């Protein structure tokens, strides 16, 4: 009995011990899982808080309206996504190139672009982001790289890629998944004078914002050399050699770029030698140098009706109109005055009066006196001098009818002679003026041609299709420019309103203006001009800021005056009035052109009549001999 009780106790003790051991094991496993989950959650929260603080610090520098997050095919870091979502602003998550678009055309430019990579540098992902950031490549970019195998190689690849895509505002953060440090190391891209990384370390325990993550690097370019080139279009850009043979530049576009280099600590260098005799047109510089990245910042302006072209250009620097300038109305020359005097009306009156009175005189002679001369039927040598108001020989007659004809001849001759003499005195003392060309239709209908440089004519071709018959082109740009500056009235010219103001300033010293323009001669009522930059130029923001400052200070007016003074000093243009009359001038053979034409016509008619008379006489003799 005692043995069985002992056995039962032993069995109970074993089961009790096993139950305690199993319970202890279950508690140990549950507690371990709880501890692991808790540690992961703590790390996740720390990661999220880190990104949240970083984003808030970035927004403190400059407001963020949109966040673009580009990452690889794997899921985006949830801690980063949740940190971004707390800002309650548009978030664009992109992983595939087929869903890409140009951000600038759809969202505000105050964008923070975040690109996340792991292990190695992903070139395709970089191209994807660059394509989406077209026209705003200088926006703030945060590069987050996880567990990079070789940091130096990664940074070098990223540096070359940023330089290739003209990205200048990049912050790099290299993150180790299993490594927690007391401080965070950032790599800040420095694009000037050459692309390189600058490092700064931020203490994670210090919650105060102490570092500037994104800087306006263009404020100091550290004497970086920028390639440029210039056209030659007087006010805008003008270059010449001074007395010492040094090349000088002026013009309000040139002065802007020179000020740009001075203000932002850069140096300028011409991409090619300049030609004084054959300057390059601005359209050639734009097409073959700017668009192909051969120069960094040109000293030219251009305009376009295509909206997308303006995305790469600077802000509007000048605003003007495109118009035709035509010679101002001038007094008629003596040759033209004689053409008016001897017009169809005068000649008609002369010949009609002569024929009618000659016919009446011949009929009266034949009717009352039996006199008949066939040659006097339409042209009588007694009538024609009287019609001209000259003395004439009247036939002695008792016919009252013939006396009435002579009275009529006197009245007609007096009227024609008096009208002609009065008109001559009026036109010679106060010559009439040509009809002023005031509209484009007037210009097309006139004999005046429009002289255009061929490159300008090609650009304007869609807008001057109806006027091509009045257009004359040349490939010599200097010739067109000289004709305009010398105020040569042989042609009319297309001219921007800015240059027109320049020529008006020259003509204000003249007695009579050589050229005029009118509202109806305006071809383009509004032309904004800007400086075309290479695609995604890193100098656009700096140039835009300078343009606004120049406008605020009115520096363009001073630069235009300086250019005007240089052109006067070089005698490229003159203030002398070439149309000032130098006193009385003798009448020349050319002035009497129409008079000589009439004399020649008279001689030809007399020769023709003489020849006909000789033929008639020969025919008459031959007829008499036969009889």
């Amino acid at each position: 009995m005692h043995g069985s009780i002992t056995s039962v106790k032993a069995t109970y003790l074993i089961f009790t011990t096993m139950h305690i051991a199993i319970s202890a094991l279950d508690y140990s496993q549950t507690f371990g899982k709880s501890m692991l989950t808790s540690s992961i959650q703590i790390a996740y929260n720390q990661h999220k808080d880190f990104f949240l603080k970083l984003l808030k610090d970035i927004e403190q520098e400059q407001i963020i309206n949109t966040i673009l997050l580009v990452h690889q095919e794997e899921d985006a870091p949830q801690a980063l996504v949740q940190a971004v979502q707390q800002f309650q602003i548009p978030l664009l998550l992109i992983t595939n190139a087929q869903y890409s678009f140009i951000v600038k055309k759809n969202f505000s430019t105050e964008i923070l672009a975040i690109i996340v990579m792991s292990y190695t540098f992903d070139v395709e992902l970089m191209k994807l982001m660059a394509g989406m950031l077209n026209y705003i490549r200088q926006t703030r970019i945060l590069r987050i790289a996880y567990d990079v195998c070789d940091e130096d190689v990664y940074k070098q690849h990223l540096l070359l890629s940023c330089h290739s895509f003209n990205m200048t505002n990049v912050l790099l953060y290299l993150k180790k998944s299993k490594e927690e440090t007391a401080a965070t190391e950032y790599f800040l891209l420095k694009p000037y004078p050459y692309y390189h990384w600058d490092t700064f370390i931020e203490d994670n325990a210090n919650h105060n914002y102490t570092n500037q993550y994104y800087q306006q690097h263009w404020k100091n370019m550290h004497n970086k050399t920028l390639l440029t080139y210039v056209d030659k279009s007087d006010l805008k850009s003008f270059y010449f050699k001074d007395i010492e043979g040094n090349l000088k530049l002026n013009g309000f576009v040139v002065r802007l770029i020179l000020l740009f280099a001075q203000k932002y600590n850069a140096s300028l260098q011409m991409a090619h030698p300049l030609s004084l005799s054959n300057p390059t047109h601005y359209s050639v510089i734009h097409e073959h140098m700017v668009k192909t990245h051969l120069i960094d910042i040109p000293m030219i302006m251009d305009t376009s009706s295509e909206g997308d072209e303006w995305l790469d250009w600077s802000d509007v620097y000048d605003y003007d109109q495109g118009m035709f300038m035509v010679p101002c109305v001038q007094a008629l020359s003596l040759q033209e005055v004689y053409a008016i005097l001897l017009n169809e009306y005068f000649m008609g009156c002369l010949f009609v009066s002569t024929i009618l009175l000659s016919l009446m005189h011949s009929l009266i002679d034949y009717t009352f006196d039996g006199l008949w001369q066939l040659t006097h039927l339409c042209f009588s040598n007694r009538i024609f001098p009287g019609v001209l108001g000259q003395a004439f020989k009247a036939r002695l007659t008792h016919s009252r009818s013939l006396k009435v004809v002579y009275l009529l001849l006197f009245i007609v001759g007096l009227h024609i002679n008096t009208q002609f003499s009065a008109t001559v005195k009026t036109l010679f003392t106060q010559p009439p003026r040509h009809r002023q060309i005031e509209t484009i239709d007037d210009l097309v209908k006139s004999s005046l041609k429009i002289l255009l440089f061929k490159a300008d004519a090609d650009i304007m071709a869609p807008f001057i299709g109806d006027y091509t018959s009045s257009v004359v082109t040349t490939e010599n740009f200097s010739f067109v420019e000289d004709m305009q500056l010398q105020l040569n009235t042989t042609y009319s010219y297309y001219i921007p309103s800015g240059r027109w103001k320049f020529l008006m300033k020259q003509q204000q010293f003249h007695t009579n203006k050589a050229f005029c323009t009118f509202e109806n001669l305006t071809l383009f009522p509004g032309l904004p001009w800007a400086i075309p930059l290479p695609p995604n130029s890193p100098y656009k923001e700096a140039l835009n800021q300078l343009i606004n400052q120049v406008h605020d200070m009115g520096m363009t007016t001073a630069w235009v005056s300086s250019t005007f003074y240089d052109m006067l000093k070089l005698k490229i243009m003159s203030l002398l009035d070439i149309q000032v009359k130098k006193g009385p001038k003798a009448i020349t053979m050319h002035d009497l052109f129409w008079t000589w034409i009439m004399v020649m016509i008279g001689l030809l008619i007399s020769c023709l009549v003489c020849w006909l008379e000789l033929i008639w006489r020969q025919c008459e003799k031959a007829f008499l001999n036969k009889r």
Side-chain angles (χ1 to χ4, degrees):
M1 185 67 180
H2 180 71
S4 61
I5 293 174
T6 302
S7 175
V8 170
K9 287 180 178 182
T11 303
Y12 175 76
L13 183 60
I14 291 170
F15 277 110
T16 301
T17 303
M18 289 178 64
H19 176 71
I20 293 173
I22 292 171
S23 298
L25 181 60
D26 291 341
Y27 176 77
S28 174
Q29 291 177 350
T30 304
F31 181 74
K33 290 181 180 180
S34 176
M35 288 292 292
L36 181 61
T37 303
S38 177
S39 64
I40 293 174
Q41 185 65 37
I42 292 172
Y44 177 83
N45 290 335
Q46 288 177 347
H47 204 184
K48 173 185 171 182
D49 292 342
F50 167 79
F51 284 125
L52 185 61
K53 176 183 178 300
L54 177 60
L55 295 176
K56 286 182 177 180
D57 289 345
I58 293 173
E59 188 182 37
Q60 186 177 342
E61 291 181 356
Q62 186 177 351
I63 190 170
I64 302 173
N65 291 329
T66 306
I67 292 181
L68 170 66
L69 180 55
V70 180
H71 57 91
Q72 293 167 319
E73 292 294 340
E74 295 80 7
D75 293 336
Q78 292 303 313
L80 176 60
V81 174
Q82 289 198 5
V84 170
Q85 289 173 345
Q86 293 194 16
F87 282 79
Q88 298 182 348
I89 58 176
L91 170 62
L92 309 175
L93 286 171
I94 304 295
T95 59
N96 196 321
Q98 69 182 96
Y99 299 113
S100 64
F101 57 92
I102 297 178
V103 176
K104 182 178 175 62
K105 294 184 177 180
N106 299 275
F107 294 92
S108 166
T109 54
E110 298 298 336
I111 295 173
L112 175 65
I114 304 175
I115 180 168
V116 182
M117 293 184 185
S118 299
Y119 309 118
T120 59
F121 184 78
D122 191 335
V123 177
E124 295 302 321
L125 197 65
M126 188 69 179
K127 289 181 180 179
L128 171 61
M129 168 170 274
M132 298 184 68
L133 294 180
N134 269 340
Y135 313 116
I136 51 170
R137 297 268 179 89
Q138 290 72 49
T139 193
R140 292 166 292 177
I141 300 175
L142 175 60
R143 302 297 301 264
I144 302 174
Y146 283 94
D147 300 325
V148 173
C149 301
D150 190 329
E151 293 185 359
D152 291 336
V153 173
Y154 184 90
K155 288 191 294 182
Q156 184 63 24
H157 285 168
L158 178 57
L159 197 68
L160 295 175
S161 182
C162 290
H163 186 270
S164 173
F165 292 119
N166 286 333
M167 296 176 177
T168 58
N169 226 0
V170 179
L171 181 66
L172 173 62
Y173 169 54
L174 299 175
K175 173 65 176 174
K176 296 289 187 181
S177 300
K178 299 180 180 180
E179 181 180 330
E180 297 294 336
T181 59
T184 303
E185 184 179 24
Y186 295 99
F187 298 93
L188 181 64
L189 179 64
K190 295 283 188 176
Y192 305 112
Y194 55 89
Y195 274 66
H196 63 281
W197 294 109
D198 189 19
T199 305
F200 68 88
I201 298 175
E202 189 175 79
D203 188 1
N204 293 338
N206 182 12
H207 298 288
N208 296 326
Y209 171 64
T210 57
N211 296 299
Q212 187 174 4
Y213 298 108
Y214 296 99
Q215 304 171 8
Q216 292 178 321
H217 304 289
W218 45 263
K219 287 187 173 181
N220 185 359
M221 298 186 186
H222 300 278
N223 200 32
K224 179 179 176 61
T225 299
L226 305 179
L227 293 179
T228 186
Y229 205 68
V230 61
D231 68 336
K232 194 175 182 182
S233 53
D234 49 70
L235 286 178
K236 300 175 184 178
S237 46
F238 172 62
Y239 57 89
F240 59 94
K241 283 189 176 181
D242 60 11
I243 300 176
E244 299 176 355
N246 299 319
L247 191 66
K248 299 291 184 181
L249 294 93
N250 211 337
F252 67 88
V253 176
V254 171
R255 296 288 286 272
L256 175 72
I257 304 304
L258 293 176
L259 182 61
F260 175 90
Q262 180 183 357
K263 180 178 175 63
Y264 300 124
N265 190 19
S267 58
L268 297 172
Q269 178 181 332
M270 290 294 166
H272 303 284
L274 295 175
S275 172
L276 292 171
S277 58
N278 188 23
T280 306
H281 192 257
Y282 73 87
S283 62
V284 177
I285 297 175
H286 185 191
E287 191 69 28
H288 299 287
M289 294 186 184
V290 176
K291 289 184 178 181
T292 56
H293 294 272
L294 293 181
I295 56 178
D296 298 307
I297 183 168
M299 293 181 177
I300 64 169
M301 288 199 304
D302 203 351
T303 186
S304 175
S305 58
E306 299 293 333
D308 286 347
E309 280 198 66
W310 288 87
L311 293 174
D312 275 319
W313 295 8
S314 71
D315 289 344
V316 174
Y317 183 41
D318 190 29
Y319 191 85
D320 65 8
Q321 296 177 328
M323 60 188 71
F324 294 111
M325 70 173 189
V326 295
C328 293
V329 61
Q330 302 292 329
L332 271 65
S333 65
L334 287 178
Q335 177 182 337
E336 293 170 321
V337 169
Y338 274 107
I340 293 176
L341 289 172
L342 305 176
N343 58 13
E344 296 85 353
Y345 175 77
F346 173 77
M347 301 302 294
C349 290
L350 201 64
F351 284 110
V352 169
S353 301
T354 301
I355 292 171
L356 288 177
L357 292 173
S358 296
L359 181 62
M360 292 172 64
H361 194 286
S362 297
L363 290 175
I364 291 172
D365 283 348
Y366 178 75
T367 302
F368 294 101
D369 297 324
L371 301 175
W372 176 255
Q373 281 186 312
L374 185 62
T375 55
H376 289 175
L377 186 64
C378 294
F379 187 85
S380 173
N381 56 357
R382 298 178 184 272
I383 296 298
F384 187 66
V387 173
L388 293 177
Q390 307 297 318
F392 62 94
K393 184 179 179 180
R395 189 170 67 83
L396 182 61
T397 180
H398 296 288
S399 174
R400 299 179 189 276
S401 299
L402 196 57
K403 291 179 180 179
V404 171
V405 170
Y406 288 147
L407 178 61
L408 290 175
L409 178 59
F410 165 73
I411 294 172
V412 170
L414 179 63
H415 172 75
I416 291 177
N417 184 270
T418 304
Q419 185 181 22
F420 183 81
S421 299
T423 306
V424 166
K425 291 179 181 179
T426 303
L427 295 181
F428 275 43
T429 53
Q430 292 182 343
R433 294 177 177 270
H434 293 281
R435 182 174 178 272
Q436 179 63 61
I437 298 174
E438 296 184 356
T439 66
I440 295 180
D441 287 338
D442 292 343
L443 180 58
V444 174
K445 293 175 182 177
S446 72
S447 59
L448 193 66
K449 297 297 183 180
I450 306 168
L451 181 62
L452 292 177
F453 181 56
K454 191 174 186 308
D456 288 335
D458 293 340
I459 295 172
M460 296 165 56
F463 306 98
I464 59 172
D466 298 333
Y467 324 133
T468 51
S469 60
S470 299
V471 174
V472 176
T473 62
T474 176
E475 295 187 357
N476 189 339
F477 180 71
S478 298
F479 172 71
V480 178
E481 189 178 51
D482 291 341
M483 293 282 281
Q484 292 180 1
L485 294 178
Q486 298 301 327
L487 301 177
N488 190 307
T489 56
T490 306
Y491 299 98
S492 62
Y493 308 93
Y494 171 80
I495 191 169
S497 60
R499 184 181 295 181
W500 171 245
K501 293 176 183 177
F502 192 65
L503 295 180
M504 283 293 291
K505 194 171 184 178
Q506 177 186 6
Q507 294 187 95
Q508 69 182 358
F509 300 98
H510 295 181
T511 305
N512 298 308
K513 294 180 181 178
F515 279 93
C516 299
T517 188
F518 300 91
E519 184 178 353
N520 290 330
L521 286 172
T522 301
L523 183 62
F524 303 112
L527 277 180
W529 291 83
I531 297 177
L533 297 171
N536 298 298
S537 172
Y539 311 108
K540 181 178 178 180
E541 184 179 356
L543 186 58
N544 287 343
Q545 186 184 78
L546 182 60
I547 287 174
N548 294 328
Q549 292 175 351
V550 166
H551 284 164
D552 292 340
M553 299 178 68
M555 298 176 70
T556 306
T557 305
W559 290 340
V560 169
S561 299
S562 173
T563 307
F564 183 73
Y565 174 74
D566 279 343
M567 298 184 77
L568 289 177
K569 187 168 61 176
L570 294 167
K571 298 181 180 180
I572 294 176
M573 59 189 305
S574 173
L575 298 181
L576 296 177
D577 190 354
I578 59 175
Q579 298 185 4
V580 173
K581 296 181 179 179
K582 300 179 181 180
K585 187 177 70 170
I587 295 178
T588 63
M589 294 275 293
H590 183 72
D591 294 330
L592 299 174
F593 174 79
W594 290 107
T595 305
W596 293 116
I597 290 294
M598 292 186 63
V599 171
M600 294 302 297
I601 291 174
L603 289 174
L604 288 174
I605 292 175
S606 64
C607 291
L608 178 63
V609 171
C610 179
W611 181 67
L612 290 174
E613 286 182 342
L614 291 173
I615 294 176
W616 179 261
R617 182 67 59 86
Q618 293 296 327
C619 292
E620 189 176 15
K621 286 182 178 180
F623 179 74
L624 292 173
N625 291 332
K626 287 181 179 180
R627 292 181 66 182

